[in-house]
Amino acid sequence: MQVIPAKTPDFVKSLFPNLVWNITTNNKELYLTFDDGPTPEITVWVLDILRQYNAKATFFCIGNNIEKHPKLFSKVIDQGHAIGNHTFNHLKGWRHTTKNYIKDVVRTESLIDSFHTDHSENYRKFFRPPYGKFKVKQSKKLQELGYNIIMWDVLSYDWDSSIKAEDCLKNVISSAKAGSIVVFHDSIKAYKNLQYTLPEVLEYYTTRGYTFKALY
């Protein structure tokens, strides 16, 4: 059941202007993002589909999954996709102290950092809060630590088993436009809907002249 709208309302964005909701661009570009991986088989399938469309994306990874599947995580990086931090234990910020929340994020960042060979001034730290929920104090502390906090313009709702795959597709194509940051999940829970929706989204926007880019 969709409680939060698929398209983030402008008034919500205006309440939190220091968070990134979309990318300002005059070009036909979409920014696909994938949360909760890396997940064996599913992330591999996502990478294969993206490659077919010469598409780049940003993967917001859970530290625990990186630790369990290091070769798969390396594959995401090797194929030119951007990486974001999604905490180590998929924490809901409202339920944790700022100290413990930040500790969990930093643990994941240390793990991510051990895989990166590019430490140039162009390297940027991306973070997305699980469930989109965290405290203002946590947000401010993360920004002090140099994180770009990435929210979203469009939710596919691929993780929701009560939503039909066709509705997930509709959520995206009825809302995403140039510069939109779109949320998918390379997770077991989302896989059924993702299998249908992702190829359809890639095909729909490709035929309309769009390209798919990683955050930068």
Side-chain angles (χ1 to χ4, degrees):
M1 180 180 178
Q2 292 186 206
V3 177
I4 301 171
K7 175 75 172 178
T8 303
D10 289 339
F11 82 88
V12 173
K13 297 178 184 179
S14 69
L15 293 174
F16 305 97
N18 292 328
L19 309 183
V20 180
W21 299 94
N22 53 270
I23 303 299
T24 301
T25 179
N26 293 319
N27 302 319
K28 286 186 172 183
E29 301 168 348
L30 285 182
Y31 294 82
L32 305 184
T33 64
F34 297 87
D35 291 2
D36 296 355
T39 309
E41 298 183 7
I42 298 170
T43 302
V44 173
W45 176 84
V46 170
L47 293 174
D48 288 344
I49 295 295
L50 293 175
R51 187 169 59 248
Q52 290 175 30
Y53 287 87
N54 195 30
K56 299 302 179 186
T58 304
F59 289 77
F60 287 90
C61 297
I62 295 172
N64 189 39
N65 286 340
I66 297 172
E67 194 168 77
K68 289 188 292 188
H69 312 294
K71 291 183 179 179
L72 181 52
F73 182 68
S74 291
K75 187 173 183 177
V76 176
I77 296 174
D78 292 345
Q79 292 194 12
H81 302 289
I83 297 298
N85 188 322
H86 203 45
T87 74
F88 194 89
N89 291 298
H90 204 256
L91 300 185
K92 186 176 291 186
W94 294 354
R95 295 180 178 176
H96 297 271
T97 65
T98 296
K99 180 179 179 180
N100 287 340
Y101 191 75
I102 298 301
K103 182 178 180 181
D104 201 77
V105 173
V106 170
R107 181 181 179 186
T108 301
E109 195 63 38
S110 296
L111 194 56
I112 291 172
D113 195 52
S114 70
F115 286 84
H116 271 295
T117 57
D118 179 12
H119 295 283
S120 70
E121 60 183 21
N122 294 322
Y123 173 66
R124 300 183 69 191
K125 296 195 295 186
F126 297 122
F127 175 79
R128 173 174 286 156
Y131 312 99
K133 297 178 179 180
F134 58 166
K135 300 173 184 176
V136 172
K137 189 175 181 180
Q138 293 165 347
S139 170
K140 290 181 177 179
K141 182 62 178 178
L142 287 166
Q143 289 174 325
E144 289 174 4
L145 293 173
Y147 288 94
N148 297 275
I149 301 177
I150 311 298
M151 301 302 280
W152 57 79
D153 187 37
V154 179
L155 287 172
S156 67
Y157 269 89
D158 56 349
W159 75 90
D160 190 338
S161 60
S162 71
I163 301 294
K164 294 180 181 179
E166 292 82 2
D167 291 328
C168 291
L169 175 61
K170 184 178 179 181
N171 284 339
V172 177
I173 65 175
S174 67
S175 302
K177 59 184 181 180
S180 287
I181 296 173
V182 183
V183 178
F184 291 107
H185 295 75
D186 52 333
S187 65
I188 294 172
K189 185 188 297 185
Y191 191 38
K192 182 178 179 180
N193 285 336
L194 186 66
Q195 277 187 297
Y196 173 81
T197 306
L198 181 59
E200 292 288 338
V201 166
L202 290 164
E203 182 66 22
Y204 179 89
Y205 283 98
T206 296
T207 59
R208 286 158 177 77
Y210 280 77
T211 57
F212 304 90
K213 292 194 170 184
L215 294 168
Y216 54 86

